[in-house]
Amino acid sequence: MHEFRVQVGPAAFRIGSQWKRPLDQLAELYRDYPVPQIPDYSVRLESVSLLRRFIRPSVAINGDYMLPDAAPLPLEQGLLAAEMAMNLQMALGWRRHVLLHASAVEKDGKALIMTGQSGSGKSTLAALLGHRGWRFMGDEFVLVDLESGDAVPFPRLISLKNEAIGAMLATALDGRFGPLMPSTPKGDIRHLVPPSDAIAHMARPARPALLLFPSFGFDAAVREVGPSEVFMRLTQASTNYVALGEKGFSTLTRFVQTVPARAIDYRDGIEAEALVNQLWAECA
Amino acid sequence: MVTPLDSLTLVYQRRSGITHIVAEPAPEILAAMGADALTADEVAQRLAAQFDFDSAQAADIIAARLNELADLGLVERCYA
């Protein structure tokens, strides 16, 4: 079994694989990240059967935390399998922070957090802003500290889907991209290494200052979102709120009482960036 | 733990670990009761002292809300 280790924010991963290629791809993309001594989570990319290790190789996603019905992926999507497995460990296992399914960027020590359904554009927006003067903190998970309420970065590889790939190829001209994986279960996927400041400062938290619920594909609009609606949406966006008990409750209630929230509609990245800058100036 | 937000109030129940999101008059009923065992009439009288309504007319409504709160486990039914 081949092995690769990587530290992303506060979480340390060990990824084992029966094939070398996905780990070589990971090692190349994560080459600027710290290598941890003791992993929090182990992930294994294994063949579904002995035969399928060699013939039309098929990668089953295994690890400390597993979904029993997770479909295996072809070896060409081994990198995606590893990323999905790492996400799964966080979503099911992380207990040190309130974990929000959200993206975040930072400016002046303050965090802009964006959450919403898949396809809302939160990931693309974070990637875009991360290349336009903001520090990228993460495009998948935001970790909220149980004591301070600060947002802790989790800047894993940026996972670009479909149209976002072209948009970021045009924006991140000096960016390092992973291989294009067409027609995955999530559509076309291509990973992008976060900007170097995101990796260098991945241990530096930021105070949440603005929460946005973006919706892509509508005419530009802004709507204020009240604390109780924010609370309901954030509990839905958190995989570990219930498990954290009273700590989770006090952390999230403080969050919704102190962080202004807006829903924004937008048609493209330029419109979104203008809205973000306007709201940031007003609220943060 | 009770945290009022806007028109809704969050109630975190330590024993079950469940977060309830309630609207008026549930938080007002819980606050009026405190830790006391009361009938719906008695809750209505306490609330009528704070808010402007006729406690005799409100007792049925409050009894219905108390039943809902009991189903959620936020109040307990006492049998004399």
Side-chain angles (χ1 to χ4, degrees), chain B residues 18-59:
Chain B
I18 293 174
T19 306
H20 302 277
I21 303 173
V22 295
E24 66 167 21
E28 290 78 8
I29 291 174
L30 293 172
M33 291 180 75
D36 302 333
L38 302 172
T39 66
D41 284 337
E42 289 165 336
V43 175
Q45 283 162 21
R46 285 195 183 184
L47 285 170
Q50 293 178 54
F51 303 97
D52 184 24
F53 66 89
D54 181 356
S55 66
Q57 287 179 356

Side-chain angles (χ1 to χ4, degrees), chain A residues 133-154:
Chain A
W134 299 69
R135 172 170 64 109
F136 175 83
M137 293 179 71
D139 77 335
E140 182 76 13
F141 298 130
V142 172
L143 309 170
V144 183
D145 190 283
L146 299 172
E147 302 299 327
S148 68
D150 284 350
V152 173
F154 185 71

Side-chain angles (χ1 to χ4, degrees), chain A residues 227-228 232 241 245-246 253 257, chain B residues 1 6 10 12 14 19 21:
Chain A
S228 56
M232 277 185 269
Y241 168 72
E246 199 171 325
T253 48
Q257 287 174 313
Chain B
M1 293 169 76
D6 30 48
L10 304 176
Y12 180 80
R14 287 198 175 97
T19 306
I21 303 173

Side-chain angles (χ1 to χ4, degrees), chain A residues 69-107:
Chain A
D69 52 354
L73 293 171
L75 182 57
E76 298 73 46
Q77 297 171 15
L79 177 60
L80 175 64
E83 285 288 309
M84 285 168 67
M86 288 159 70
N87 287 343
L88 194 62
Q89 306 313 303
M90 294 300 290
L92 299 182
W94 195 255
R95 296 286 183 273
R96 282 187 253 161
H97 304 86
V98 172
L99 184 146
L100 298 176
H101 191 214
S103 68
V105 291
E106 177 264 357
K107 197 184 260 185

Side-chain angles (χ1 to χ4, degrees), chain A residues 46-259:
Chain A
E46 295 170 317
S47 54
V48 290
S49 67
L50 182 64
L51 212 58
R52 294 297 291 274
R53 182 171 172 185
F54 305 103
I55 302 168
R56 283 189 293 121
S58 186
V59 184
I61 301 168
N62 295 322
D64 297 337
Y65 293 88
M66 294 159 61
L67 286 180
D69 52 354
L73 293 171
L75 182 57
E76 298 73 46
Q77 297 171 15
L79 177 60
L80 175 64
E83 285 288 309
M84 285 168 67
M86 288 159 70
N87 287 343
L88 194 62
Q89 306 313 303
M90 294 300 290
L92 299 182
W94 195 255
R95 296 286 183 273
R96 282 187 253 161
H97 304 86
V98 172
L99 184 146
L100 298 176
H101 191 214
S103 68
V105 291
E106 177 264 357
K107 197 184 260 185
D108 304 325
K110 295 185 285 189
L112 162 66
I113 298 172
M114 294 169 279
T115 185
Q117 301 289 323
S118 187
S120 64
K122 63 181 186 303
S123 178
T124 313
L125 269 179
L128 187 75
L129 294 169
H131 286 83
R132 290 183 184 266
W134 299 69
R135 172 170 64 109
F136 175 83
M137 293 179 71
D139 77 335
E140 182 76 13
F141 298 130
V142 172
L143 309 170
V144 183
D145 190 283
L146 299 172
E147 302 299 327
S148 68
D150 284 350
V152 173
F154 185 71
R156 54 153 219 176
L157 297 179
I158 300 167
S159 177
L160 302 169
K161 294 188 197 88
N162 303 321
E163 297 81 25
I165 299 172
M168 286 313 294
L169 279 168
T171 301
L173 294 174
D174 55 350
R176 284 199 297 127
F177 290 83
L180 175 66
M181 292 175 280
S183 309
T184 77
K186 299 180 168 205
D188 295 349
I189 296 274
R190 192 161 186 185
H191 291 98
L192 168 62
V193 179
S196 55
D197 64 331
I199 302 168
H201 302 306
M202 70 182 191
R204 187 187 295 171
R207 175 66 36 129
L210 178 60
L211 174 69
L212 294 181
F213 298 97
S215 294
F216 169 71
F218 302 95
D219 285 339
V222 178
R223 177 174 71 85
E224 198 163 326
V225 188
S228 56
E229 185 184 344
V230 174
F231 183 87
M232 277 185 269
R233 288 198 190 200
L234 290 185
T235 54
Q236 288 163 1
S238 173
T239 54
N240 67 1
Y241 168 72
V242 172
L244 289 172
E246 199 171 325
K247 279 280 185 191
F249 179 81
S250 55
T251 303
L252 264 201
T253 48
R254 179 170 52 171
F255 187 102
V256 305
Q257 287 174 313
T258 53
V259 182

